[in-house]
Amino acid sequence: MKKLVPFIFILAFTLACNKDELEVSNPNDPTFDALETESGLTQLASGVYANNVILGNFFYNFHWITMAHHENMADAIYTSAGNWSFRWANQPTSITLDDGTVVTPPQEGEQGAALEARNVRTQGDLNAFAHEWMTMYKTNNVANLILQLVDTVELTGDTALKQSILKAWAYFWKGYTYSRIGSMYESGLIVSEPNATNSDYVSSQRMIEEANTNFDLAIQELNRVDGDISSFLATIIPDHLAASSFRGNSPSPVLTSDMWIRNMNTYKARNILVNTKVDEMTATQWQEISSLTENGMQANDFIFVMKQDGNNYVTSDLVPHRLFIGWHFLSERLVQDFKPDDARFTDNVIVLAAPDVNRGGRGIQYGTRWEFVQGDYASTADGRSNIYYGPTYAENELMKAEALLYSGQLEDGLSIIDAIRTHQNAELPAVAGNGLSEAEALEELRRERRIGLLLRGVGFYDARRWGVTEPVSQGGGRTGATVLDAFGNLNTNATFDYNYLEYWPVPAQELEFNAPDNGGRNTNRFTGAPE
């Protein structure tokens, strides 16, 4: 069975090979002996986060391709290019124009059918399902290797402190990878040994439970630390993996144990929110989200991002850069969610000289009158825009606000929305204190999550839990949408029947070598089939 095998020193790529063909003895490459030193182990730890996996001619990528798929399916941006199946991932089943005309895709119909037709191992990196899976299990494998080595490598100075920090780092990334697998795939694998696997596919809910267990283990290790973690942690976290502000990037802040724990609390809240349909949320779940976010990220806390720093990282491999070089474009449906005079819009978006209409003849969803300028969301400049790995203060507060709104505390929830708009310099009038109804308050929340969390990797999750990705025939889709028809005419009351896969099947790159022991594919795409 093919499995990702970490052979990572600092930021090198990973290999993949059949487990009975694994060969780590190569006189031209460093061996695992190099890891059995403190410097080797810390360098391994610094390269744990997801990046690229290159297998022959196939390129599996997280920072750009995975994150672009998420933003495309959120209809925040669009991509008509067929590379890496971009065009199929953001292809609605139909669009009904203002006059009732129904427009269907010019090729291949529904998104799910088009993507599943490419879920074949020989499709390689054209298989959209493979990118997040491959990069996440690479990261999980490196974390497992850290945990295997940490108690045996001789460490200088305060051994107990360093061991706890390394363990916390590994458990954090395991929590991260399982969160992403559980939030995107019908099934996943819990793998706790390096260079190993199993065929016991479990449900998406079980993956989320395991994610939270690993976050708790990381918190447990941090609570054991008696001393300042910042000095040793600085040897693990690359400079380009940290930032702390909305507009621009300040120098990497010092990460404290408290900040790190708050980060994980916010992620645990996200795991509840984005994996439950909003109309299925219980009072207990809203209360749990309230508790976690009360102990979640604060305004000046460290956040995990990938910076365009022009030094340690190639800036072209990020969505913000690719928005300027012909790959991705600003969706009309995103633009209509900005409120009038929002400074985040006026500072970052301009009108195109000529509209982009039915780009490449591949569908009218691929059209816009707008484009980003160099700014907060899209940039080719060093140190300006980021790819967000985990939650932010804004996300924490908006989850807190949503829990309040659904608990009947409208004014408290709206006050938080106002505060986040102030935090992001939106320069919008307050919505609290205006007697808004529950429906109006929830609409403010919806719009603010679309704008305030733009390009932060949660837009598709929101569309799924709000029912937008469901077929129109089942109450889903988006009405009152803006779209340019094939002649460039503006429609402002269109209906989008997205009908997207809500959870993706396991990629063939895994299944063709690792058939499940438990009966096959999980076919319940939202809640996961019983284990």
Side-chain angles (χ1 to χ4, degrees), residues 26 46 50 60 66 157-158 199 213 219 259-260 262 297 322 360 370 379 397 401 420 428 499 503:
N26 183 338
S46 74
Y60 302 98
T66 293
D158 191 337
S199 300
T213 293
I219 292 169
M259 285 184 188
W260 198 355
R262 288 194 293 266
M297 298 188 74
R322 294 281 170 164
W370 311 95
S379 179
E397 294 304 288
I420 289 303
L428 288 171
N499 191 21
Y503 283 74

Side-chain angles (χ1 to χ4, degrees), residues 87-88 91 103-109 358 360-366:
R87 66 177 290 196
W88 312 117
Q91 176 161 286
V103 181
T104 55
Q107 285 184 284
E108 296 202 35
N358 190 12
R362 292 179 171 179
I364 63 171
Q365 71 271 24
Y366 307 126

Side-chain angles (χ1 to χ4, degrees), residues 427-467:
E427 300 177 13
L428 288 171
V431 291
N434 291 306
L436 269 59
S437 67
E438 180 181 69
E440 291 169 332
L442 290 172
E443 173 62 7
E444 292 293 335
L445 174 82
R446 184 197 68 82
R447 294 175 74 158
E448 188 54 33
R449 283 189 67 90
R450 288 273 286 167
I451 304 307
L453 304 182
L454 176 59
L455 301 183
R456 300 193 183 190
V458 296
F460 169 67
Y461 298 150
D462 281 344
R464 181 180 65 191
R465 71 188 181 90
W466 290 335

Side-chain angles (χ1 to χ4, degrees), residues 40-81:
L41 185 55
T42 57
Q43 287 176 5
L44 176 72
S46 74
V48 65
Y49 57 88
N51 186 355
N52 301 326
V53 174
I54 297 178
L55 304 179
N57 295 323
F58 298 139
F59 170 69
Y60 302 98
N61 175 274
F62 180 80
H63 300 135
W64 172 26
I65 297 168
T66 293
M67 298 305 284
H69 275 311
H70 278 259
E71 297 299 334
N72 284 337
M73 293 190 296
D75 204 359
I77 60 177
Y78 65 83
T79 309
S80 63

Side-chain angles (χ1 to χ4, degrees), residues 272-387:
I272 299 169
L273 189 77
V274 305
N275 290 293
T276 313
K277 294 282 193 180
V278 69
D279 57 3
E280 296 174 359
M281 288 284 289
T282 66
T284 299
Q285 286 174 308
W286 288 123
Q287 182 54 51
E288 190 171 359
I289 287 173
S290 293
S291 178
L292 288 165
T293 54
E294 282 296 329
N295 294 285
M297 298 188 74
Q298 298 177 4
N300 295 316
D301 280 356
F302 173 103
I303 57 178
F304 289 103
V305 302
M306 180 57 65
K307 290 183 186 180
Q308 294 184 133
D309 71 351
N311 180 28
N312 294 298
Y313 191 74
V314 179
T315 61
S316 64
D317 248 6
L318 295 176
V319 173
H321 183 101
R322 294 281 170 164
L323 279 159
F324 276 118
I325 59 175
W327 283 96
H328 311 302
F329 305 88
L330 179 56
S331 169
E332 286 279 350
R333 272 70 62 199
L334 190 280
V335 170
Q336 74 178 94
D337 283 329
F338 279 97
K339 301 190 79 174
D341 301 320
D342 190 328
R344 293 169 295 185
F345 180 82
T346 57
D347 290 349
N348 290 282
V349 179
I350 59 172
V351 178
L352 285 166
D356 184 24
V357 177
N358 190 12
R359 189 173 187 83
R362 292 179 171 179
I364 63 171
Q365 71 271 24
Y366 307 126
T368 189
R369 296 165 294 160
W370 311 95
E371 68 177 345
F372 284 116
V373 296
Q374 297 272 354
D376 303 317
Y377 304 112
S379 179
T380 55
D382 294 341
R384 183 72 194 215
S385 300
N386 305 307
I387 282 294

Side-chain angles (χ1 to χ4, degrees), residues 66 69-70 73 128-129 132-133 178-187 204 208 275 460-461 464 501-505 525:
T66 293
H69 275 311
H70 278 259
M73 293 190 296
F129 303 153
E132 191 158 6
W133 183 277
Y178 289 155
S179 293
R180 293 204 65 98
I181 294 294
S183 296
M184 195 60 190
Y185 291 90
E186 298 168 350
S187 306
S204 55
I208 294 300
N275 290 293
F460 169 67
Y461 298 150
R464 181 180 65 191
L501 292 175
E502 294 193 320
Y503 283 74
W504 283 2
R525 289 179 178 149

